[in-house]
Amino acid sequence: MTGRLNSAQPYALGLYRIVVGLLFLCHGAASLFGVLGGAAGTGGTLDAGSWPGWYAAVIQLVGGALVLLGLGTRVAAFVAAGSMAYAYFKVHQPNALWPMENGGEAAAMFCWALLLLVFTGSGAFGLDRLFAKRSAEERKPAAEPVTV
């Protein structure tokens, strides 16, 4: 059983990355474009350049897209996880200690979910793997001529 689960690990991780990236991207799209209920469920958008909401939404949109595609996953997830840690400690935590009390469950979960991707990488189905294969093929030395 463990062998089968271990062999499926890259695929499960790839699907996990896709779901986390898509959900994170949706939060940014809602805040920036007013889709999916808009900013904070109001149907509206955030004012361009407003601190910290607009910048967080840009990180969510771009970081979520990069994580979704598996392109620069570790760096994108690191920046995105940092933005969620900032959101939790600066926006939510001053209201109450526990995420259930302060409304910071999403920020805490995204922070930890994205931090996991920093350490695991993109898994299967990511563009990171495609580019890694290409660069590995380019680095292979050409076959040396055989002297007879």
Side-chain angles (χ1 to χ4, degrees), residues 29-63:
S31 297
L32 292 174
F33 307 122
V35 297
L36 305 170
T42 63
T45 61
L46 297 174
D47 294 333
S50 63
W51 178 258
W54 185 82
Y55 293 95
V58 170
I59 291 171
Q60 291 167 358
L61 183 72
V62 174

Side-chain angles (χ1 to χ4, degrees), residues 2-139:
T2 302
R4 281 190 180 158
L5 291 174
N6 286 343
S7 66
Q9 187 175 13
Y11 304 105
L13 184 59
L15 291 172
Y16 171 83
R17 173 190 48 78
I18 289 167
V19 169
V20 169
L22 178 63
L23 292 174
F24 201 60
L25 178 144
C26 287
H27 276 275
S31 297
L32 292 174
F33 307 122
V35 297
L36 305 170
T42 63
T45 61
L46 297 174
D47 294 333
S50 63
W51 178 258
W54 185 82
Y55 293 95
V58 170
I59 291 171
Q60 291 167 358
L61 183 72
V62 174
L66 291 173
V67 168
L68 172 67
L69 296 171
L71 184 60
T73 303
R74 291 176 191 257
V75 174
F78 182 75
V79 171
S83 76
M84 289 295 97
Y86 178 87
Y88 182 77
F89 287 110
K90 286 300 224 179
V91 176
H92 298 285
Q93 199 276 327
N95 297 328
L97 178 62
W98 297 103
M100 289 295 293
E101 296 174 319
N102 63 30
E105 299 99 331
M109 285 297 295
F110 273 123
C111 180
W112 286 103
L114 291 160
L115 190 62
L116 179 64
L117 290 172
V118 172
F119 292 97
T120 60
S122 63
F125 317 120
L127 294 179
D128 287 342
R129 281 190 154 197
L130 178 66
F131 292 133
K133 285 180 185 176
R134 278 193 185 162
S135 64
E137 289 173 4
E138 291 172 2
R139 283 181 284 184

